[in-house]
């Protein structure tokens, strides 16, 4: 589940949700209490799963009514802001206070709501080698966080007041920015109230007869990503990394495009890990001069939502001098287009459930 969380740091994407002032405007607020369990995604956090965490989710939502074509294509979603307080009910793990940007998507005649929220959270009791050495889940106070909600959602039952209930999944991780970083995933039941700030006044959805044609020829992309991360060896330190990516994409409609490309990885933490392993574990016969660079090829998919898109990629290292977490890797990211050609991106690169880095980057599509 750490892959899910990747995607998960607020990356100056507040502008992703900004839109021109449009009429009509409609806002709702909702408050949900939740109670659940920490999932045992890794045996090393077994000692931390002792109680059931609980908390509160508060949200402000702005509705869309189809003034733009993408709103109609996604069945008139909401976008907004949310705050999560979570008490882990474990003194080692502490509490979380998080702020998020989110989208709400609707299905089954708008009675089923799927929410995706991404943001940052402050943890009150992270790892400390002297005072909190048992907390191997959170290596830092500031954590990337992502959450999902799948709810029965019924608005305006009585004078703007409605009800919602369902399941929530909340993830906290720092993307190996600093070890330890085993992370946590909370699966919870939530229930709460929804209130329409204009008292339930009905506004009709705009439906256009003509649809935009999004067929495009193959486009080419160059991206430069970077950041700071660390290995799982406590005390080894944090190091910069750089990634050069080149790929082609083919858009097949309003919502989707497919990727095919290659990555070149320059990860300094891996260079230090190789040196450490060569000295500390001579029985492994690892040379300290082993090349730390890696080259991968990948396939992927891009889901377009207005000027924001969600990318998923699955890669395989074709140049792999040092064995680190296996040859397969995956990436989940958010991309924000800053015009017709330039984009900014934040992504989480992982090996299955083991996060390697949160990547920040810029690129060009031509």
């Amino acid at each position: 589940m750490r892959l899910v969380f990747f995607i998960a740091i607020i990356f100056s994407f507040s502008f992703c949700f900004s839109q021109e002032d449009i009429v009509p405007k409609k806002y709702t607020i909702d408050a949900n209490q939740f109670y659940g369990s920490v999932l045992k995604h890794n045996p090393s956090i077994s000692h931390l799963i002792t109680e059931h965490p609980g908390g509160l989710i508060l949200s402000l939502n702005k509705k869309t009514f189809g003034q733009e074509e993408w709103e109609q294509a996604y069945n008139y979603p909401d976008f907004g802001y949310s705050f999560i307080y979570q008490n882990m009910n474990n003194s080692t793990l502490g509490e979380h206070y998080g702020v998020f940007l989110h989208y709400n998507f609707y299905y089954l005649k708008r009675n089923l709501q799927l929410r995706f929220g991404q943001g940052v959270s402050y943890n009150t009791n992270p790892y400390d080698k002297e005072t909190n050495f048992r907390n191997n889940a959170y290596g830092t106070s500031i954590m990337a966080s992502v959450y999902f909600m799948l709810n029965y959602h019924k608005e305006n039952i009585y004078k703007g007041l409605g009800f919602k209930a369902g399941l929530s999944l909340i993830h906290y991780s720092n993307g190996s920015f600093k070890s330890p970083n085993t992370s946590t995933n909370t699966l919870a039941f939530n229930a709460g109230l929804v209130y329409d700030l204009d008292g339930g006044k009905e506004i009709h959805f705009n439906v256009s007869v003509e649809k935009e044609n999004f067929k495009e020829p193959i486009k080419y992309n160059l991206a430069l990503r970077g950041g700071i991360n660390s290995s799982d060896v406590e005390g080894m330190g944090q190091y910069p990394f750089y990634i050069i990516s080149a790929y082609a994409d083919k858009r097949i409609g309003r919502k989707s495009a497919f990727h095919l490309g290659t990555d070149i990885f320059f990860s300094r933490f891996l260079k230090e890990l190789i040196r450490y392993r060569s000295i500390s574990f001579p029985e492994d016969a690892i040379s300290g001069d082993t090349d730390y660079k890696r080259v991968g090829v990948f396939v992927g998919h891009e889901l377009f939502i207005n000027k924001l898109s969600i990318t998923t990629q699955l890669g395989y290292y074709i140049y792999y001098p040092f064995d680190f977490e296996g040859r397969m890797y995956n990436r989940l990211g958010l991309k924000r287009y800053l015009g017709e050609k330039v984009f900014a991106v934040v992504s989480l690169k992982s090996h299955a459930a083991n996060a390697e880095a949160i990547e920040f980057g810029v690129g060009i599509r031509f």
Side-chain angles (χ1 to χ4, degrees):
M1 295 305 298
R2 194 180 299 177
L3 171 62
V4 174
F5 21 60
F6 80 79
I7 228 92
I9 193 172
I10 195 164
F11 148 71
S12 302
F13 268 151
S14 57
F15 60 86
C16 293
F17 294 84
S18 65
Q19 303 212 337
E20 296 180 1
D21 290 340
I22 57 176
V23 178
K25 293 182 179 180
K26 192 178 185 70
Y27 296 90
T28 64
I29 57 174
D30 61 73
N32 288 267
Q33 189 169 7
F34 66 88
Y35 183 79
S37 299
V38 176
L39 301 179
K40 185 180 173 182
H41 70 283
N42 189 317
S44 65
I45 67 167
S46 298
H47 64 289
L48 299 175
I49 304 177
T50 58
E51 301 292 340
H52 295 281
L56 185 67
I57 304 174
L58 303 176
S59 305
L60 172 68
N61 312 282
K62 182 178 181 181
K63 294 194 167 295
T64 64
F65 292 92
Q67 273 66 31
E68 298 186 29
E69 191 276 337
W70 75 271
E71 299 171 356
Q72 299 180 42
Y74 282 93
N75 194 29
Y76 315 99
D78 311 333
F79 57 93
Y81 308 89
S82 43
F83 167 82
I84 296 180
Y85 164 73
Q86 180 171 350
N87 188 335
M88 301 301 293
N89 287 324
N90 181 312
S91 59
T92 301
L93 293 175
E95 300 171 306
H96 289 274
Y97 299 85
V99 290
F100 300 80
L101 305 175
H102 69 253
Y103 269 115
N104 299 325
F105 299 95
Y106 292 93
Y107 309 92
L108 302 179
K109 297 182 179 180
R110 304 186 72 79
N111 289 317
L112 182 66
Q113 183 193 79
L114 173 64
R115 175 180 294 180
F116 166 71
Q118 180 186 348
V120 292
S121 184
Y122 175 78
N123 177 258
T124 60
N125 197 26
Y127 170 85
D128 184 277
K129 65 180 179 180
E130 294 181 356
T131 62
N132 197 25
F133 60 88
R134 290 173 57 83
N135 188 355
N136 62 333
Y138 311 140
T140 55
S141 288
I142 303 299
M143 309 286 291
S145 183
V146 64
Y147 79 101
F148 292 92
M149 299 178 75
L150 183 63
N151 283 187
Y152 171 77
H153 182 93
K154 189 66 175 179
E155 295 182 12
N156 196 26
I157 297 174
Y158 179 75
K159 294 185 178 180
L161 189 65
F163 172 78
K164 66 187 299 182
L167 295 175
S168 300
L169 178 66
I170 308 172
H171 175 83
Y172 301 106
S173 171
N174 69 23
S176 291
F177 176 77
K178 185 178 180 181
S179 63
N181 182 51
T182 312
S183 77
T184 62
N185 302 288
T186 301
L187 181 64
F189 173 77
N190 70 272
L193 299 176
V194 185
Y195 182 68
D196 190 330
L197 292 182
D198 67 7
K201 181 180 178 181
E202 184 177 1
I203 300 178
H204 296 285
F205 295 114
N206 182 42
V207 179
S208 299
V209 176
E210 296 184 2
K211 302 294 183 181
E212 294 186 37
N213 186 352
F214 280 87
K215 290 184 179 179
E216 291 181 341
I218 294 175
K219 297 286 187 176
Y220 300 96
N221 300 258
L222 289 174
L224 176 63
R225 298 179 175 93
I228 296 173
N229 67 341
S230 64
S231 73
D232 292 334
V233 180
E234 174 61 28
M236 183 168 287
Q238 298 165 280
Y239 300 91
F241 65 87
Y242 311 96
I243 304 165
I244 301 173
S245 302
Y247 60 96
D249 74 65
K250 173 59 179 174
R251 193 160 182 174
I252 60 171
R254 168 64 186 82
K255 298 180 179 180
S256 294
F258 292 103
H259 297 172
L260 177 63
T262 185
D263 294 309
I264 304 175
F265 300 93
F266 304 88
S267 303
R268 282 288 309 279
F269 88 94
L270 203 56
K271 182 177 181 179
E272 296 302 317
L273 181 62
I274 291 170
R275 185 183 64 83
Y276 167 78
R277 290 284 302 276
S278 69
I279 296 172
S280 301
F281 300 93
E283 65 274 16
D284 292 341
I286 297 172
S287 170
D289 296 328
T290 301
D291 192 1
Y292 69 97
K293 296 183 287 295
R294 294 166 290 175
V295 178
V297 294
F298 65 84
V299 295
H301 177 265
E302 185 168 353
L303 180 66
F304 294 88
I305 308 172
N306 197 15
K307 295 181 179 180
L308 176 71
S309 66
I310 300 173
T311 59
T312 53
Q313 296 171 348
L314 179 64
Y316 180 83
Y317 297 114
I318 57 174
Y319 180 68
Y320 186 64
F322 177 72
D323 185 16
F324 177 75
E325 304 287 2
R327 283 185 176 268
M328 302 292 294
Y329 65 92
N330 41 264
R331 178 184 284 128
L332 181 61
L334 289 179
K335 182 187 288 187
R336 177 42 156 97
Y337 286 92
L338 307 176
E340 293 297 321
K341 295 184 177 181
V342 178
F343 59 84
V345 65
V346 59
S347 53
L348 178 69
K349 185 210 173 188
S350 303
H351 301 89
N354 298 317
E356 179 179 321
I358 295 175
E359 308 166 336
F360 298 90
V362 294
I364 184 169
R365 181 175 185 258
F366 55 91

